[in-house]
Amino acid sequence: MDLQLSGRVAIVTGASKGMGLAITRTLLEEGARVVAASRKSSPELDALAGPGLVHVAVDLMDPDAPGRLVERAVEEFGGLDILVNNAGGPPPGVSLPRFGFLTPNDDDWRQMFEFNLFAVVRAVRAAIPAMLERGGGSIVNISSTSARQPGTMNYDYTAAKAGLNTLTKGLSQEFGPQGIRVNTVSPGPVRTAWWTEEGGAADILAGATGADRDAVMDTIAPEMMNLTTGRLVDPQETADVVALLASPRSASTTGADLVVDGGFLKEL
């Protein structure tokens, strides 16, 4: 299926690895031109180098960073059609999960909201005028199933993502009549650096359960989360959904939350 993305201009945050890398690669394969944003590049992102890709090194904890990204998209490619707010999860230097409400302090909460909500607010604020100049566009915010099924860990993260869902719904109502669609994609546990990096979720849960990290990712975590598929989500599976939402083929989809979670959520 032709997603009609050829020549369209996209910004993808958190583009150097994991879901962001998969999203960037998928949009490039569909003919889009991409401004890939991350604090630093990666060999995998460098391997995608070409005339349709520009990497911009930014820290989204910097309030001015989103505006610079939109400016670069306009300078390099003449406008902006797609914004994928993928960067999120643990802020720089933070490891999750954190267990219990009393664990995160005020600074932890501020950092979590800065990275997972306020950076998105600023990016959308910067992107909308550029999209309106092109007659519309598509914004895809990467949320989490945790926003819809919170538990007794990562309170700050789940609250920030719940706020992101609410933001998305409101934006879709306000700017839909002007041609800008806004949706969320809610992954479940995805096999990304959040899990695989040293000191990440796999190591933390391995310490809590007495198992090894590979067993956590392959068996224990899917069983703990009662994943219907029996495995963590592959980043490409999320990227494919993002590309469809970015596409004009999804012209009547706005204000939606598409779940890619291996069957984690069980409610209607």
Side-chain angles (χ1 to χ4, degrees):
M1 180 172 66
D2 180 9
L3 294 182
Q4 302 174 9
L5 291 174
S6 182
R8 296 181 185 270
V9 181
I11 291 173
V12 180
T13 65
S16 64
K17 56 188 178 182
M19 289 189 295
L21 178 67
I23 292 165
T24 298
R25 182 187 298 113
T26 302
L27 292 177
L28 288 171
E29 290 172 348
E30 292 294 330
R33 295 170 289 175
V34 181
V35 174
S38 60
R39 286 182 294 149
K40 57 184 180 180
S41 190
S42 66
E44 295 81 6
L45 182 59
D46 292 341
L48 301 178
L53 177 66
V54 173
H55 175 252
V56 181
V58 293
D59 183 351
L60 291 173
M61 301 292 275
D62 175 1
D64 295 327
R68 292 199 300 270
L69 290 175
V70 174
E71 290 174 1
R72 190 68 181 274
V74 173
E75 290 171 2
E76 294 285 344
F77 300 127
L80 180 64
D81 304 294
I82 301 161
L83 170 64
V84 182
N85 286 304
N86 166 74
V94 174
S95 295
L96 295 179
R98 285 192 290 226
F99 300 97
F101 171 72
L102 298 178
T103 302
N105 58 31
D106 281 2
D107 285 339
D108 295 328
W109 278 85
R110 290 188 189 98
Q111 289 183 50
M112 193 65 72
F113 270 68
E114 190 72 38
F115 193 46
N116 287 278
L117 183 58
F118 299 155
V120 174
V121 169
R122 296 177 184 121
V124 172
R125 186 187 293 139
I128 282 176
M131 288 184 171
L132 290 176
E133 289 184 4
R134 307 266 278 194
S138 174
I139 298 172
V140 183
N141 296 324
I142 304 301
S143 185
S144 170
T145 51
S146 298
R148 294 170 55 176
Q149 188 167 304
T152 58
M153 65 175 71
N154 304 330
Y155 280 87
D156 46 354
Y157 173 73
T158 58
K161 289 300 190 182
L164 179 60
N165 289 0
T166 301
L167 171 70
T168 299
K169 283 287 189 180
L171 290 169
S172 71
Q173 292 293 311
E174 181 173 358
F175 293 99
Q178 299 173 69
I180 298 177
R181 296 181 297 107
V182 193
N183 295 285
T184 53
V185 171
S186 288
V190 183
R191 200 173 185 118
T192 63
W194 180 335
W195 286 87
T196 61
E197 283 186 344
E198 185 176 351
D203 286 337
I204 293 172
L205 289 174
T209 60
D212 67 78
R213 68 194 322 271
D214 289 332
V216 166
M217 288 186 282
D218 293 340
T219 305
I220 295 173
E223 289 179 352
M224 288 174 60
M225 298 181 181
N226 194 22
L227 300 184
T228 304
T229 59
R231 61 174 176 83
L232 302 183
V233 177
D234 186 274
Q236 186 62 50
E237 294 167 332
T238 302
D240 292 340
V241 174
V242 171
L244 181 60
L245 284 176
S247 165
R249 302 297 290 265
S250 295
S252 290
T253 304
T254 192
D257 179 34
L258 273 63
V259 175
V260 187
D261 70 344
F264 172 66
L265 293 176
K266 301 295 193 293
E267 76 276 8
L268 293 175

